[in-house]
Amino acid sequence: MMQKVMEIALKRSILIPSNELYSPVGGFYDYGPVGKALKRKIEDCWRDLFLRREGNFEIETVYILPEAVLKASGHLSCFGDPVVGCSKCGKKFRADHLLEEKGNFTCGGMKPEQLTKEMKEKKIVCPECRGPLGDVGWFNLMFKTNIGPTEGTTGYIRPETAQGIFLDFQRVFRSHGSKLPMGIAQIGKSFRNEISPRQGLVRLREFSQMELEYFFNPSSPKHPRFKEVENEKFIIYTREEQKKGSEKCIELTAKEAVERKLVPNEIMAYFMAREMQFYMKLRIPYDVLRFRHMLPEETPHYSGGNVDLEVKTSVGWVEVIGNAYRTDYDLKSHSQSSGKDLSVLLEDGSRVIPHVVEPSFGVDRTIMCMLEYCYREGGGAERRDWEWFDFPAFISPFEVAVLPLMKKDGLSERASEIANSLREKGFDVIYDETGSIGKRYARADEIGVPYCLTVDYDTLKDGTVTIRFRNDGKQSREDSKTLPEKLHSLSEGNVVCLP
Ligand code: GAP
């Protein structure tokens, strides 16, 4: 499935391998026009649900951070993966992945020495040339650079967007009401020098994150809107089941998950319920979504408890969100290292270093899951023999394709006018006049356009156009004057086949 999805994504330039003209380097993908539009709409949907509707703030911070920041955050000492090299071909691999691929085995939290021992016992050899592997070492995943021409001014490209938020927190807090709780978010690129990038968009070296840092008073770990979601259900994969090696999960409401201490507090449970709503809006079904309570040995250095949202895909369960209870770890560390007091003054006169719950979403992995779950083959009134994407109308890269039946007799000109007038009304429109109408329907389906408008000789006479619905391939006739209203109502109601 993943291969099929990647093939169509590359064929339609939804994704483009970066630096393709030169020797390819793993872990980098560009987004073509369709992919970029899809990405932008997913990010905007996230903004709408997690920022606008919640009254949280968005900021934008820099990519390059001086060494002192990442020393304080712990990334310099703790942010790495175990690496092993082949003494014959010299290639390097993730030691834990080699072991895990060998069988039913998880290496979460194992030290390099333990991994070396396991690899020797299991007689693991180089997957490329079958040569002998050396001892396991530790590889820091950050890209290092020099800031300016003077040697010794070390900087790193940020491995998460979160650090910039912690650095700016106090200023944003003071200028935006000085009240807790306060959510500050950032959407942007993060960079990790992954040892073995793989599986398309799953493990990239340059990827996008949507991160929200929710700052709250530790004496009141509550979310003001928790009541709205307390009865929402989700599936949890507990630590106990993971330790037993079983895949069994339990279904709980947000309230029950807090009561049973499977999540650290109400705030995290609140976001978990909203995350389910977000992914289901993107057409990822409820029963392929599970929250995995990370084992203590896998939990990141900054976290007082992590619950990851995972999606079941054709390449296994993929983590799309890391939910972390970061406590006051980051603000305290930056306070100590910089010598600046990062506590805040509350209305009641008390001072506190806020605690933080962080939902951290991977945009690229979300797109990959969406591509898999929206992928369809054939079907419809035309008994099509092509693949297509069943994107929800509100998130489709283009809502409408405008297609003149012929290029002659003024049909192109009329179709261009209709396309432009729809663009003026705010629609994302693609115009296509090349090839047979059947081929154009296929091209529009392949990039998930929900509605095709065909402009024909009747359009010139009576102003009507044909709307073809992507999902069932059926058609109806509409007056071009009332098209914007019609398309808005279809798109908002997410109607992608004839009602
Ligand atoms: N600030 C916390 C943080 O960065 P994380 O679990 O390391 O936490 C959060 O990353 C999310 O970012 C992951 O759930 C995943 O969706 C995405 N992500 C992390 N590493 C990635 C990579 N190498 N390629 C693509 N996405 C990645």
Side-chain angles (χ1 to χ4, degrees):
M1 173 61 92
M2 164 80 109
Q3 204 175 334
K4 282 185 186 175
V5 167
M6 284 307 279
E7 268 167 28
I8 183 168
L10 294 174
K11 178 174 155 202
R12 290 272 137 244
S13 295
I14 297 174
L15 298 173
I16 302 172
S18 309
N19 312 305
E20 203 179 8
L21 299 186
Y22 296 86
S23 307
V25 182
F28 299 95
Y29 273 99
D30 295 340
Y31 286 92
V34 175
K36 177 63 194 174
L38 185 64
K39 185 166 184 276
R40 175 174 47 82
K41 290 193 178 185
I42 291 173
E43 290 170 355
D44 283 345
C45 177
W46 187 85
R47 270 190 186 98
D48 182 45
L49 283 183
F50 290 90
L51 307 189
R52 194 188 63 79
R53 292 188 201 202
E54 299 275 332
N56 294 326
F57 302 111
E58 181 177 4
I59 63 169
E60 182 174 315
T61 70
V62 296
Y63 287 8
I64 298 179
L65 301 171
E67 189 164 50
V69 170
L70 294 149
K71 203 169 170 187
S73 69
H75 285 87
L76 215 52
S77 50
C78 303
F79 193 65
D81 278 329
V83 66
V84 66
C86 171
S87 14
K88 193 166 148 202
C89 70
K91 293 225 167 87
K92 302 230 189 247
F93 307 93
R94 275 275 297 259
D96 51 342
H97 287 174
L98 291 186
L99 268 167
E100 283 168 2
E101 277 155 16
K102 191 81 184 163
N104 196 5
F105 191 76
T106 47
C107 308
M110 278 171 83
K111 301 253 165 354
E113 308 78 58
Q114 287 168 283
L115 290 165
T116 306
K117 192 164 158 271
E118 287 289 341
M119 295 194 75
K120 294 224 155 89
E121 275 170 17
K122 294 198 162 55
K123 298 193 176 29
I124 294 183
V125 290
C126 172
E128 297 280 325
C129 73
R130 312 211 49 78
L133 296 171
D135 285 352
V136 177
W138 200 250
F139 178 71
N140 191 294
L141 294 181
M142 288 191 295
F143 285 97
K144 195 172 178 178
T145 187
N146 199 63
I147 305 175
T150 321
E151 280 301 316
T153 325
T154 305
Y156 293 87
I157 318 184
R158 67 184 186 193
E160 58 171 5
T161 70
Q163 287 309 315
I165 300 177
F166 297 123
L167 299 180
D168 290 357
F169 162 70
Q170 208 173 47
R171 273 186 182 269
V172 178
F173 180 83
R174 284 190 187 143
S175 58
H176 285 78
S178 299
K179 273 207 176 102
L180 292 177
M182 175 178 281
I184 308 178
Q186 169 147 233
I187 298 180
K189 290 271 180 130
S190 290
F191 301 80
R192 297 182 190 176
N193 201 1
E194 296 287 351
I195 298 163
S196 32
R198 57 183 185 170
Q199 293 165 336
L201 303 182
V202 173
R203 196 168 299 280
L204 295 169
R205 289 185 166 130
E206 180 174 332
F207 56 95
S208 296
Q209 292 184 311
M210 305 183 285
E211 298 200 289
L212 173 65
E213 308 303 318
Y214 192 80
F215 297 87
F216 62 95
N217 187 337
S219 68
S220 163
K222 306 248 173 250
H223 195 286
R225 295 175 67 178
F226 184 67
K227 272 238 153 298
E228 287 174 33
V229 301
E230 64 180 13
N231 294 319
E232 300 257 334
K233 288 187 174 160
F234 41 68
I235 292 165
I236 300 195
Y237 187 23
T238 61
R239 284 178 167 171
E240 286 65 40
E241 295 302 329
Q242 292 171 58
K243 279 191 201 135
K244 279 193 240 160
S246 130
E247 286 267 323
K248 218 173 114 202
C249 292
I250 51 172
E251 189 183 49
L252 295 175
T253 63
K255 193 171 173 205
E256 287 163 345
V258 181
E259 283 164 1
R260 290 179 55 173
K261 300 199 181 348
L262 290 168
V263 290
N265 50 43
E266 257 187 22
I267 297 171
M268 192 183 285
Y270 175 80
F271 287 120
M272 287 162 66
R274 293 287 186 221
E275 288 161 12
M276 290 296 295
Q277 292 170 349
F278 176 68
Y279 277 88
M280 282 158 55
K281 229 171 137 67
L282 300 184
R283 277 239 159 117
I284 317 269
Y286 177 85
D287 52 2
V288 302
L289 290 160
R290 76 173 183 199
F291 287 102
R292 187 170 76 84
H293 194 184
M294 283 181 95
L295 299 170
E297 58 271 27
E298 305 172 284
T299 305
H301 61 276
Y302 48 72
S303 177
N306 252 62
V307 186
D308 288 350
L309 180 62
E310 299 183 330
V311 178
K312 191 176 191 174
T313 71
S314 60
V315 294
W317 288 95
V318 169
E319 174 205 327
V320 286
I321 305 178
N323 288 297
Y325 175 30
R326 293 184 81 128
T327 64
D328 55 2
Y329 177 91
D330 300 88
L331 289 181
K332 233 180 188 160
S333 308
H334 287 306
S335 213
Q336 277 159 8
S337 302
S338 65
K340 313 251 163 58
D341 180 9
L342 292 182
S343 65
V344 293
L345 183 63
L346 300 179
E347 274 177 333
D348 62 6
S350 62
R351 287 202 83 85
V352 66
I353 296 198
H355 277 216
V356 171
V357 164
E358 172 198 70
S360 168
F361 294 61
V363 183
D364 313 85
R365 287 188 189 176
T366 301
I367 291 175
M368 198 209 76
C369 295
M370 245 194 106
L371 291 177
E372 266 209 33
Y373 279 100
C374 292
Y375 176 85
R376 304 280 183 275
E377 286 174 353
E382 305 115 322
R383 296 171 193 271
R384 60 192 136 189
D385 59 0
W386 56 84
E387 303 99 341
W388 53 286
F389 286 112
D390 182 12
F391 296 135
F394 77 96
I395 222 132
S396 292
F398 297 100
E399 290 143 302
V400 196
V402 177
L403 319 170
L405 188 63
M406 305 274 183
K407 277 193 220 168
K408 54 185 188 181
D409 302 328
L411 291 178
S412 292
E413 289 76 7
R414 184 71 193 105
S416 296
E417 274 169 29
I418 291 176
N420 287 336
S421 72
L422 288 174
R423 287 182 179 125
E424 289 296 320
K425 298 270 179 196
F427 289 95
D428 292 317
V429 178
I430 188 156
Y431 176 85
D432 188 359
E433 58 176 28
T434 313
S436 71
I437 199 77
K439 285 222 168 75
R440 283 182 273 162
Y441 284 156
R443 279 202 293 269
D445 286 356
E446 279 180 343
I447 57 170
V449 183
Y451 315 112
C452 285
L453 301 183
T454 311
V455 174
D456 55 20
Y457 290 99
D458 284 342
T459 316
L460 301 183
K461 277 190 251 154
D462 61 12
T464 60
V465 296
T466 300
I467 300 191
R468 172 189 172 271
F469 290 76
R470 179 192 65 203
N471 285 25
D472 57 13
K474 291 189 182 155
Q475 305 187 355
S476 75
R477 204 77 196 167
E478 294 297 331
D479 188 338
S480 56
K481 286 202 207 82
T482 50
L483 265 178
E485 295 75 30
K486 176 80 187 175
L487 289 169
H488 265 309
S489 69
L490 289 170
S491 185
E492 270 161 24
N494 211 13
V495 180
V496 279
C497 48
L498 255 191

